[in-house]
Amino acid sequence: MRGVVFDGKRTEVVDDLEIRDPGPGEVLVEVSAAGLCHSDLSVVDGTIPFPVPVVLGHEGAGVVAAVGAGVTHVQPGDHVSLSTLANCGTCAECDRGRPTMCRKAIGMPQQPFTRAGRPLYQFAANSAFAERTLVKAVQAVRIPEEIPLPAAALIGCGVLTGVGAVLNRARVDRGDTVLVIGTGGIGLNVIQGARIAGALTIVAVDANPAKEEMARRFGATHFLTSTRTVKDILPTGADHAFECVGRVELIRQAVDLLDRHGQAVLLGVPPATAEASFLVSSMYLDKSILGCRYGSSRPQRDIALYAELYRQGHLLLDELVTATYPVEDFEKAAQDAHAGRMARAVLTF
């Protein structure tokens, strides 16, 4: 079968991947579509360290092909959106409703794929850039069949991360003011999460002026190409500032632009050893800096919620899909993503 493989030096679309049958508590999924997220590209450029060879992709949707023993919530033929969160479901963190903090879901990559007899790693417990992938049952969330699979694919990462950061981590309330730095796929979902939450003022900042139309479509009330004039709109600062780029100087700006009792939420992914600074004295105004993993989500609940919000017209998904590419055109899709020409590129099989 076809898939996108990174061997540590180059990325290649291959056609000789094999995958094992599902074991107990596992689901085999025929992937129909997968979003190209910057996290996939960050594995290739080394920003995110990951063992190789690895099958890339982590934002996918498809149709259940087979289930292992004990799986009852999905069956062959069901449409599913895939979560990257392979949490155990039984530890203290899972029991508290914080599956993103499950230690068994982090740093334990599996090898369900083989190529010419050699095992390959699975990226983010998902590897959606393959015609078939194998996930834990908890990662497969059934969705209504009327939701187009290219749009549904984006729920599993970009929407969970961006909208979830607003609703679950920051808990933006009606009338709040929100600053969003970076309007790529994650930033746009932060914007629409803030709109759904009832934020009064949503200021989007992106160096690319061509992104204004999309930002406003998703709910931004203001658009700037620099943070220098944010205080003209929010004289006392923002209640919530989301950094969606992954640059330490922008993290500092997010903190500096907070109002009293404001919180900066970090969503961008800088290099693993990057360090950021801030004025300690400013924190005594009850400011907070919050990390956020995967939108602090509970995928079985949140994916179903976001699917319903889409059906009711509150959540934009189709608009996120800037272009679709057959998987064979992965390199072109990656080049377009690097150039910042799209909200999300989607690979299809």
Side-chain angles (χ1 to χ4, degrees):
M1 67 179 183
R2 294 169 295 166
V4 180
V5 175
F6 176 59
D7 65 5
K9 296 181 179 178
R10 60 189 294 262
T11 305
E12 181 183 9
V13 180
V14 303
D15 60 6
D16 56 351
L17 283 180
E18 296 182 356
I19 192 167
R20 64 174 175 81
D21 293 332
E26 294 180 332
V27 178
L28 182 67
V29 177
E30 293 183 0
V31 179
S32 297
L36 175 56
C37 175
H38 277 281
S39 293
D40 300 301
L41 303 178
S42 293
V43 173
V44 176
D45 68 22
T47 302
I48 297 179
F50 204 87
V52 293
V54 58
V55 180
L56 295 174
H58 67 285
E59 189 180 66
V63 180
V64 174
V67 300
V71 177
T72 59
H73 74 293
V74 293
Q75 60 185 2
D78 283 346
H79 286 207
V80 291
S81 178
L82 300 179
S83 159
T84 69
L85 202 59
N87 60 296
C88 70
T90 59
C91 69
E93 297 294 350
C94 287
D95 193 49
R96 292 187 183 105
R98 300 191 301 217
T100 56
M101 294 297 102
C102 175
R103 285 174 169 79
K104 294 185 179 179
I106 302 173
M108 302 176 66
Q110 303 299 307
Q111 295 177 301
F113 300 96
T114 57
R115 186 184 181 207
R118 182 184 180 187
L120 288 84
Y121 286 100
Q122 184 175 40
F123 179 53
N126 192 307
S127 288
F129 293 168
E131 287 187 81
R132 290 191 169 196
T133 193
L134 195 64
V135 297
K136 291 179 65 173
V138 71
Q139 296 177 255
V141 184
R142 188 170 56 204
I143 57 173
E145 291 189 11
E146 61 263 33
I147 298 180
L149 289 172
L154 306 185
I155 299 177
C157 179
V159 175
L160 276 180
T161 299
V163 178
V166 174
L167 302 182
N168 300 329
R169 187 65 167 129
R171 298 186 181 275
V172 172
D173 201 358
R174 295 180 301 276
D176 283 355
T177 58
V178 173
L179 169 65
V180 183
I181 302 176
T183 62
I186 299 300
L188 288 174
N189 279 298
V190 170
I191 291 170
Q192 71 170 335
R195 169 178 52 79
I196 290 168
L200 182 64
T201 304
I202 304 170
V203 181
V205 179
D206 198 292
N208 184 354
K211 293 187 176 182
E212 178 174 1
E213 180 181 356
M214 185 73 82
R216 289 187 180 275
R217 187 173 188 180
F218 275 70
T221 59
H222 300 76
F223 183 90
L224 304 172
T225 55
S226 167
T227 59
R228 288 192 300 271
T229 55
V230 168
K231 287 291 185 76
D232 292 342
I233 301 165
L234 302 173
T236 62
D239 295 318
H240 312 272
F242 296 84
E243 200 284 334
C244 306
V245 180
R247 288 169 48 186
V248 294
E249 67 272 22
L250 296 179
I251 292 173
R252 171 60 182 269
Q253 292 171 28
V255 174
D256 289 345
L257 289 167
L258 291 175
D259 197 354
R260 298 183 179 195
H261 207 272
Q263 51 187 13
V265 183
L266 311 186
L267 297 177
V269 182
T273 58
E275 297 182 0
S277 64
F278 58 91
L279 288 175
V280 176
S281 60
S282 72
M283 306 308 290
Y284 298 117
L285 295 173
D286 281 3
K287 293 183 181 182
S288 303
I289 302 173
L290 305 179
C292 184
R293 172 174 164 78
Y294 205 43
S296 301
S297 61
R298 291 170 288 172
Q300 285 289 337
R301 172 190 179 276
D302 290 349
I303 289 176
L305 170 63
Y306 299 154
E308 184 59 29
L309 287 173
Y310 167 79
R311 291 177 67 184
Q312 294 183 13
H314 301 302
L315 185 79
L316 304 181
L317 290 180
D318 303 302
E319 293 82 355
L320 285 169
V321 182
T322 310
T324 59
Y325 303 77
V327 68
E328 289 81 7
D329 288 346
F330 170 79
E331 285 299 332
K332 184 179 188 307
Q335 291 170 8
D336 289 346
H338 268 305
R341 289 193 282 266
M342 57 191 61
R344 263 302 192 265
V346 174
L347 302 180
T348 58
F349 291 89

